[in-house]
Amino acid sequence: MAVLFQLFIIYIVLLLLSFAVPSLHPILYTTLFLMVAVYVLFTVLVPFARTLLALVEKLPAPTMLLVVSAGLYYMAELLASQMKDEGYGAFGQLFQTVMKIVILTLWFPSISQLIETIYTLIPW
């Protein structure tokens, strides 16, 4: 609840800055966004991720990969949205593409193991 209140205060500060210093608003907006994103990441998302990973630790390995992949995809969407809002949509799209490649790279060992298992089952 405290984080929501702090985010609301940041929003008010951004509104004030947009009227007080309109030419510096984009850089201040981006700076505050990144600072607040890191703050929220370490105060809310990291404890949540630790709890979630502890819960799925007992499940098969692909479940852990799904959780990590979902988290990475969400972060890519968040940062790409920020870049698009600032007028750098091409960089946001590039960032999303790179993150998707990173997610696929994480899945390569499981995919190769699955292919090897299927390959042994196919009679040639």
Side-chain angles (χ1 to χ4, degrees):
M1 190 62 151
V3 173
L4 290 176
F5 179 72
Q6 292 166 349
L7 289 174
F8 183 72
I9 296 298
I10 293 293
Y11 174 69
I12 300 273
V13 168
L14 282 172
L15 284 177
L16 290 172
L17 287 174
S18 70
F19 289 112
V21 207
S23 60
L24 289 177
H25 185 258
I27 190 73
L28 293 174
Y29 171 68
T30 303
T31 304
L32 278 174
F33 172 79
L34 291 175
M35 287 173 33
V36 169
V38 168
Y39 173 73
V40 168
L41 177 75
F42 285 115
T43 59
V44 177
L45 295 180
V46 169
F48 174 74
R50 284 184 184 151
T51 305
L52 187 62
L53 290 176
L55 288 174
V56 299
E57 190 176 79
K58 299 167 185 130
L59 297 173
T63 308
M64 181 84 73
L65 281 173
L66 281 173
V67 170
V68 171
S69 297
L72 289 175
Y73 187 79
Y74 177 74
M75 291 303 293
E77 285 289 319
L78 181 69
L79 292 174
S81 172
Q82 166 66 19
M83 291 176 191
K84 190 179 289 184
D85 286 348
E86 291 301 316
Y88 299 107
F91 284 112
Q93 189 66 33
L94 179 65
F95 189 79
Q96 283 180 318
T97 303
V98 169
M99 189 58 79
K100 289 173 186 175
I101 292 171
V102 167
I103 291 171
L104 282 174
T105 305
L106 288 174
W107 279 88
F108 277 158
S110 294
I111 292 172
S112 65
Q113 182 182 12
L114 177 66
I115 290 173
E116 289 173 9
T117 303
I118 291 174
Y119 185 74
T120 60
L121 296 174
I122 297 175
W124 295 98

